[in-house]
Amino acid sequence: DPLLHKKVSLTKKEKSQYACDVCFVGTLSPNRQEILSELREFDIKIWGDIPYEYGLLKEIKYLYQGEAYGEKMVKIFNAAKIILNFQPSDMKKGGNMRTFEIPGCGAFQLTDKVDTRWFTNGEDIVLFKNKADLKEKIIYFLENEIERKKIAQIGYLRTQREHTYEKHFERLLQTV
């Protein structure tokens, strides 16, 4: 939704509240928590839903910032340098809502899977293969700000051009 998912200006208070090198916003399933717990060496902040049946790992409690939806999530995406997106394991190609919301806000997305019809690895999104590759890419893109911002900008333009609800519904209705 380009009316919600967009680049926004942040106040000083919002910048200090949401800024970080790496962030995650989403459901904190056990496998996601495990991955996040291994990224504690970075300046990372975590927002999301904690499944009642699992709770929150003690190793990441100090990183947890609460829940984030709507405008708050958009501000987080505009403040953080790298946004992580872990796809549910049952999605073969990848493509949850965050896949489009992150670049729709002009943010840099690092994810484990994506449908190649939607985004191109290294051009408008960056994929990682495993935990070691994830750490390497976080380090690389924190050190290479120009490249990170270029990929984020290309992702932003592509999302605004091709991946709005309106565009997806148009394609859906054309196939009916």
Side-chain angles (χ1 to χ4, degrees), residues 45 49 52-53 60-61 77 79 85 105 107-108 121-122 124 141 159 163:
K45 292 182 179 177
D49 302 322
Y52 175 76
E53 61 273 21
I60 62 172
K61 280 187 180 182
F77 290 166
N85 185 9
C105 294
F108 177 86
N121 185 29
D124 45 26
F141 284 105
T159 301
H163 298 301

Side-chain angles (χ1 to χ4, degrees), residues 8 12 18 31 33 45 50 56 58-59 64 66-67 86 95 99 108-109 128 130 139 146 151 154 164 172:
V8 297
K12 254 189 222 185
Y18 302 131
N31 62 321
Q33 289 189 47
K45 292 182 179 177
I50 303 168
L56 189 62
K58 65 180 179 182
E59 296 87 358
Y64 183 68
E67 295 180 351
F86 307 122
T99 304
F108 177 86
Q109 179 172 192
F128 66 90
N130 52 44
I139 292 166
I146 292 170
I151 291 169
I154 293 169
T164 62
L172 180 67

Side-chain angles (χ1 to χ4, degrees), residues 114-174:
V114 73
D115 189 318
T116 56
R117 294 173 298 169
W118 297 333
F119 294 102
T120 305
N121 185 29
E123 185 178 313
D124 45 26
I125 198 169
V126 175
L127 300 175
F128 66 90
K129 297 175 194 139
N130 52 44
K131 292 175 198 170
D133 188 43
L134 173 60
K135 286 183 177 186
E136 287 176 20
K137 287 185 173 157
I138 289 172
I139 292 166
Y140 177 84
F141 284 105
L142 288 175
E143 292 174 352
N144 293 276
E145 180 179 6
I146 292 170
E147 186 177 357
R148 183 181 76 239
K149 286 184 175 183
K150 180 181 176 187
I151 291 169
Q153 179 64 14
I154 293 169
Y156 171 75
L157 294 172
R158 186 169 187 181
T159 301
Q160 296 297 322
R161 184 180 65 244
E162 299 175 23
H163 298 301
T164 62
Y165 286 127
E166 183 178 334
K167 294 287 182 183
H168 280 258
F169 281 124
E170 281 175 16
R171 282 193 290 278
L172 180 67
L173 292 174
Q174 288 172 356

Side-chain angles (χ1 to χ4, degrees), residues 40-73:
R40 292 174 291 164
E41 66 202 71
F42 299 103
D43 170 29
I44 183 170
K45 292 182 179 177
I46 300 168
W47 287 267
D49 302 322
I50 303 168
Y52 175 76
E53 61 273 21
Y54 302 115
L56 189 62
L57 286 177
K58 65 180 179 182
E59 296 87 358
I60 62 172
K61 280 187 180 182
Y62 73 100
L63 302 170
Y64 183 68
Q65 308 292 309
E67 295 180 351
Y69 304 99
E71 290 181 19
K72 180 178 179 180
M73 181 183 70

